[in-house]
């Protein structure tokens, strides 16, 4: 049994769950209209360019959750995942997950999105184990701040090593699937890196390194 690790956004799904959630928050009146979406999109352009400070992105996009309980947020997230996210699951991703299950591999999603989103989406894929950005709570309410090491760029490696130690796992024979240049630190760590619909920087690196390039639809 080996570890099969998956990025989420633009890897398992055809879209970015955090951006789609931003639009959902505007739709339900938790965030203030087009200016909120425009600023989020500017931050996402920085992500695509590899220049984003994830702390800035999380601080901005978590502001509508301040003072809300996890239960209140989960009540909204569940239909959002069903109505918005499920239709954009990559069928090739589902087949790949099924193949890893048949091989007896252990499945893990590691994502630079908020844990409450990633875990809800992963469950729809039948994946229980998730590493994502954890949110601080104060007296049972979201504070709008993150806690711990953010699962972004090198932070994914840090969090994964900690998880491996806790689980008594190792990376022998491990695979990692991702679309993003931001995941190069983790892709370079595993025995079996896969570039899924890669951005130009990741594609170039994958071609030079001889990594498989997958075109999921």
């Amino acid at each position: 049994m080996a570890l099969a690790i998956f990025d989420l956004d633009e890897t398992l799904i055809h879209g970015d769950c955090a951006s789609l959630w931003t639009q959902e928050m505007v739709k339900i009146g938790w965030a203030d209209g087009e200016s909120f979406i425009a600023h989020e999109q500017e931050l996402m352009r920085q992500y695509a360019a590899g220049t984003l400070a994830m702390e800035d992105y999380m601080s901005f996009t978590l502001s509508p959750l301040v003072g809300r309980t996890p239960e209140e947020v989960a009540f909204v997230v569940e239909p959002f995942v069903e109505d918005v996210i499920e239709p954009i699951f990559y069928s090739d991703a589902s087949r790949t997950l099924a193949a890893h299950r048949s091989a007896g591999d252990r499945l893990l999603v590691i994502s630079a999105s908020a844990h409450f989103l990633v875990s809800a989406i992963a469950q729809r894929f039948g994946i229980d184990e998730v590493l994502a950005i954890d949110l601080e709570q104060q007296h049972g309410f979201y504070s709008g701040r993150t806690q711990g090491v953010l699962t972004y760029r090198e932070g994914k490696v840090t969090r994964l090593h900690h998880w491996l130690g806790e689980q008594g796992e190792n990376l022998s024979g491990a695979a990692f699937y991702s679309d993003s240049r931001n995941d190069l630190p983790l892709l370079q760590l595993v025995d079996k890196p896969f570039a899924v619909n890669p951005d130009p920087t990741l594609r170039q690196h994958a071609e030079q390194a001889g990594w498989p390039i997958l075109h999921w639809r």
Side-chain angles (χ1 to χ4, degrees):
M1 180 181 74
L3 195 60
I5 310 167
F6 295 82
D7 177 45
L8 174 59
D9 301 310
E10 303 292 358
T11 300
L12 292 177
I13 65 173
H14 181 42
D16 186 279
C17 70
S19 289
L20 292 167
W21 172 245
T22 294
Q23 296 170 29
E24 184 72 11
M25 288 192 293
V26 169
K27 178 181 175 182
I28 64 176
W30 285 10
D32 187 19
E34 294 302 318
S35 62
F36 193 86
I37 292 175
H39 186 61
E40 190 271 342
Q41 286 299 296
E42 172 55 32
L43 293 171
M44 285 303 296
R45 282 190 284 272
Q46 295 175 28
Y47 172 84
T51 61
L52 176 69
M54 184 55 71
E55 294 82 359
D56 293 342
Y57 183 88
M58 295 306 298
S59 177
F60 176 72
T61 57
L62 290 177
S63 59
L65 303 188
V66 174
R68 301 187 190 276
T69 66
E71 293 78 14
E72 180 183 4
V73 174
F75 183 78
V76 176
V77 167
E78 184 174 351
F80 162 74
V81 172
E82 182 174 353
D83 296 340
V84 178
I85 302 299
E86 278 198 36
I88 60 173
F89 282 5
Y90 281 129
S91 57
D92 290 316
S94 296
R95 285 191 284 270
T96 301
L97 289 167
H100 279 290
R101 287 193 180 94
S102 296
D105 295 333
R106 186 172 183 178
L107 305 180
L108 173 69
V109 172
I110 181 165
S111 170
S113 294
H115 195 283
F116 71 86
L117 284 175
V118 179
S119 59
I121 297 168
Q123 286 174 8
R124 299 283 177 152
F125 279 106
I127 302 173
D128 295 324
E129 298 188 283
V130 164
L131 294 175
I133 294 180
D134 295 321
L135 307 188
E136 180 189 77
Q137 295 179 38
Q138 292 186 339
H139 309 294
F141 299 91
Y142 285 130
S143 69
R145 293 185 291 271
T146 60
Q147 63 180 17
V149 176
L150 305 188
T151 43
Y152 177 60
R153 297 178 66 96
E154 292 80 2
K156 284 192 175 183
V157 174
T158 300
R159 289 282 302 278
L160 178 59
H161 277 308
H162 182 72
W163 182 86
L164 293 169
E166 288 183 332
Q167 298 292 318
E169 277 281 7
N170 61 69
L171 290 177
S172 178
F176 179 43
Y177 298 79
S178 177
D179 70 295
S180 175
R181 63 191 288 172
N182 291 300
D183 282 336
L184 279 168
L186 183 47
L187 286 162
Q188 292 168 327
L189 186 67
V190 299
D191 291 337
K192 300 175 182 179
F194 293 91
V196 179
N197 301 337
D199 64 35
T201 299
L202 177 54
R203 175 180 290 277
Q204 181 180 25
H205 190 101
E207 289 172 346
Q208 292 173 348
W211 296 348
I213 297 175
L214 307 178
H215 303 282
W216 284 359
R217 297 291 182 265

